[in-house]
Amino acid sequence: QSFVLPSQRPRQPDRIRLNGWQRVLAVIVCALPIVIGFVIPALVLMNFAASRLEDALSVTYLTAVYHSLVLAGLAAAVAVGLGLVLGYANRTLRKGLTKRIIRLASMGYAIPGTVLGIGVLIPLAGFDNALDSFLRENFGISSGLLLSGSIAAIIFAYVVRFLAVSFGAIESGLQKVTPNVAAAARTLGRGPISAFFEVHLPLLRPALVSAALLVFVDCMKELPATLILRPFDFETLATTVFMLASLDQLEE
């Protein structure tokens, strides 16, 4: 064991006890950032909301809420399903190709929403234009825009963007399921698929719920990709807030 001289030992800081007005001043100083940064802005927003409660029942607002819930719900379901497949494949296969595919699928979270939106729009628009030209030349009909500017394009962008979030939560849940549990199921005659549905899936329910909630919340507030890929006259809560804020209509 190494010997430490008394002079080299870390010195414990002296505790200063506050009395009377010193305590009050310390509480005020510590609470000031919270009051200025959260309490006052929250009260102002609550005052704005209270003066316009009737707007919550307007058709425009309810439509934006419906669009946001549908998009976020569908994207969360697809992302959780794909994350579950990737997580289970990573646990059972453990091959270099699987690792590369998972790493590639998880890169979308590092891409900005604007770049992702343009990257999704360009190939979809190219496919729509090529299909429309082919149908016009050979059949004399127009297909219009099938994929670009559609709900499917937005959901695809959401899944690419937030698949890493879903995979991370599910992978964390899979790590809590020891390999002995799967081995016991295999010993009792269950195959890989049966063991997945009868053993892993019930144990992964908390992780699946947390993954769905994380993706759902991220999709609800995703703005750049939604602005680029949304259909005409298609508003979500994020785009509505952005439009009103850009017009300085803070109360609305």
Side-chain angles (χ1 to χ4, degrees), residues 57-241:
L57 300 178
S58 63
V59 177
T60 303
Y61 178 76
L62 294 179
T63 303
V65 172
Y66 173 73
H67 290 165
S68 297
L69 293 177
V70 170
L71 290 177
L74 292 176
V78 176
V80 169
L82 292 178
L84 186 59
V85 171
L86 293 177
Y88 195 66
N90 184 41
R91 184 182 180 90
T92 56
L93 298 180
R94 298 186 180 275
K95 295 181 180 180
L97 180 60
T98 305
K99 299 287 186 181
R100 295 188 186 94
I101 293 175
I102 293 174
R103 192 178 297 112
L104 179 64
S106 303
M107 290 178 58
Y109 196 65
I111 302 176
T114 305
V115 177
L116 180 61
I118 296 175
V120 172
L121 180 62
I122 291 176
L124 294 183
F127 174 80
D128 286 341
N129 292 331
L131 180 62
D132 184 71
S133 299
F134 174 78
L135 293 178
R136 284 177 181 271
E137 293 176 359
N138 295 275
F139 302 99
I141 59 176
S142 174
S143 61
L145 298 177
L146 297 178
L147 297 179
S148 57
S150 63
I151 296 178
I154 301 177
I155 295 176
F156 177 75
Y158 285 175
V159 173
V160 173
R161 180 98 163 85
F162 302 117
L163 182 58
V165 178
S166 173
F167 173 75
I170 295 174
E171 180 69 13
S172 177
L174 279 172
Q175 291 178 357
K176 299 178 182 179
V177 182
T178 61
N180 296 331
V181 176
R186 298 295 297 274
T187 304
L188 295 174
R190 295 295 187 268
I193 299 178
S194 300
F196 170 75
F197 283 102
E198 297 181 17
V199 178
H200 285 88
L201 198 58
L203 295 176
L204 286 176
R205 286 177 183 174
L208 296 177
V209 172
S210 63
L213 288 176
L214 290 173
V215 176
F216 183 86
V217 172
D218 283 334
C219 292
M220 287 287 289
K221 60 187 180 65
E222 171 59 31
L223 178 63
T226 309
L227 286 174
I228 296 173
L229 298 172
R230 62 176 177 163
F232 295 107
D233 296 330
F234 187 89
E235 300 292 341
T236 64
L237 286 176
T239 60
T240 302
V241 170

